[in-house]
Amino acid sequence: MAERKIPWWQKGIIYQIYPRSFKDSNGDGIGDLHGIIEKLEYVKWLGMDAIWISPIYPSPMADFGYDVSDYVGIHPMFGTMEDFERLLGTAHSLDLKVILDFVPNHSSDQHPWFQESKSSRDNPKRDWYVWRDPKPDGGPPNNWLSVFGGIAWEWDGTTEQYYLHSFLKEQPDLNWRNPEVQQAMLDVLRFWLDKGVDGVRIDVIFKIFKDLQLRDNPPRTDGHGHGKNLGEYDSQYHIYDQLQPEAHEVLRAFRRLFDSYGDRVLIGETHLFNWADLVAFYGDRDELHVPFNFALIYLDWDAASFRRVVDEYEAVLPLGAWPNYVLGCHDDHRIATRYGGMAQARTAAMLLLTLRGTPTVYYGEEIGMADVAIPPEQVQDPWGLQVKGIGAGRDPERTPMQWDGSPNAGFTAEGVVPWLPLAPDFATVNVAAEKDDVSSMLTLYRRLIQLRRDMPALHVGQYRPVDGVPADCFVYLRQEGDQRLLVALNFCADERELTLSYLGDGTVMLSTYPDERGHVDLSALVLRPHEGVLIELTAGG
Ligand code: GLC
């Protein structure tokens, strides 16, 4: 079958690396660029097309790199610019793309820009951040809240004004209404594109512009909304402190820049749970290529909810826009923990890698890493420390990658204390142990990835949900030309029988159970508890 010419980021799979936790090469207990370079062959072997690396820039690490103090440097903890260039060269020689994290909403309070800005009211960089007078009673300018807890304004006693911080007070928000800020950030992007970086993932892109009049957000009256439970932050409708139309103008400028380099990808962290808000970030195919779709992350493990979300998203996608799904990242609990166990995680893997659109795989999901319980005295995440009581900490999903069964799991040298504790099960849940085990999660991921790469129906084909199946099952067809695949996922802990006589028969290409099922008659397809199967339908069936 003649294959359509499709961009790499549509056909490919993105692997997210949290650099502190991937591989430590210098024995300080924290991952680094050399460590990533060492493991690129593994990423390639896994079948990935691109890596996205969470921030590696100089940073005081108040929010583990999402507080940048130099946008065009490398944190010495991770290595040097030469190391980064080596990483890029090695990745490219393996035909792996490299995507960096770009954090435009806020810098670190240690960034020279903010240091200047706060030095006096008439400093030329004063207006690079959002400064305001107190209310007549001395209180903050409005009622906006920080995602990380408390009010989003910090008082500066020296210049007697408040500055805005949507996250930590160590992360002051940049003022994107100032054209000099826009110019400086475009220069940053140009710097990395010139180096040969293949794309960026833009942090909280929907927050960069705020209401010009800084109006109060109205109180929320309908519970905590759709996404993650954010505690007090969910007590408001966030209509004035984010999602302002001006962000789209800026994205169009980013896109023009990226297009001028050809073949680069613009991904955005669009943590939005209203379809209209999310798909607006595709623009008229002139903004983000991939506005991350997190809608599946916060669902209960329920077939009908998953189908509803996929069908709705397919229906609202603008013409020509390419879908994508994220099931795991550094901000959310691990898949196995979230959906109730390893059997569910195996089915979720099949779902993620057989849906239409670019999948992202968070490091460690491919070996079945689960959340690691962090003793209170070892909590590192500032959000976990500041917002308590709603399971807020993100450390459990950021623990060291488990490479083998040696002390410290091959993440760092023996005797070194890793920055977060290792999972208690690392002796069995690790790359070395799973590599040649046909029943392992790693083998399942590799086979799914291989099938996705090989079969046009999976990487470019249409998606069509299948009706008339038991309520606990999510079943869909993927088709491209003559190639027709059926994906049948059983979300429950009991057997389910599907009667799909009109589809004829087919061959099971892969089951989430490790045995081989071979030929199946679809008039009575039995799915075992939590089983997912990928079936190639017989031509003409
Ligand atoms: C994004 C990042 C998260 C970070 C926050 C503030 O949500 O994914 O890790 O803490 O932005 O930069």
Side-chain angles (χ1 to χ4, degrees), residues 276-289:
D277 291 342
L278 175 66
V279 301
F281 283 88
Y282 286 103
D284 190 9
R285 284 204 277 165
D286 55 358
E287 298 186 28
L288 296 175
H289 298 100

Side-chain angles (χ1 to χ4, degrees), residues 63 66 106 148 167 171 201 203-204 269 330-331 394 398:
D63 187 20
Y66 285 96
H106 45 267
F148 287 165
F167 294 87
Q171 295 167 297
R201 171 270 191 192
D203 195 58
V204 289
E269 189 205 9
H330 64 295
D331 293 327
R394 297 168 296 179
R398 295 177 175 178

Side-chain angles (χ1 to χ4, degrees), residues 275 299 302-313 463 474:
W275 292 124
L299 297 180
D302 166 61
S305 311
F306 275 72
R307 171 174 171 178
R308 183 180 39 76
V309 161
V310 173
D311 287 0
E312 283 179 8
Y313 182 45
Y463 157 88
F474 179 19

Side-chain angles (χ1 to χ4, degrees), residues 347 350-351 472-476 487-491 527 531-533:
T347 313
M350 183 169 278
L351 171 86
D472 300 307
C473 297
F474 179 19
V475 182
Y476 47 94
V487 181
L489 308 170
N490 178 6
F491 277 58
L527 296 178
E531 184 176 27
V533 289

Side-chain angles (χ1 to χ4, degrees), residues 487-506:
V487 181
L489 308 170
N490 178 6
F491 277 58
C492 79
D494 299 309
E495 239 176 52
R496 285 290 178 266
E497 184 171 315
L498 277 60
T499 309
L500 299 167
S501 319
Y502 70 96
L503 288 176
D505 54 7

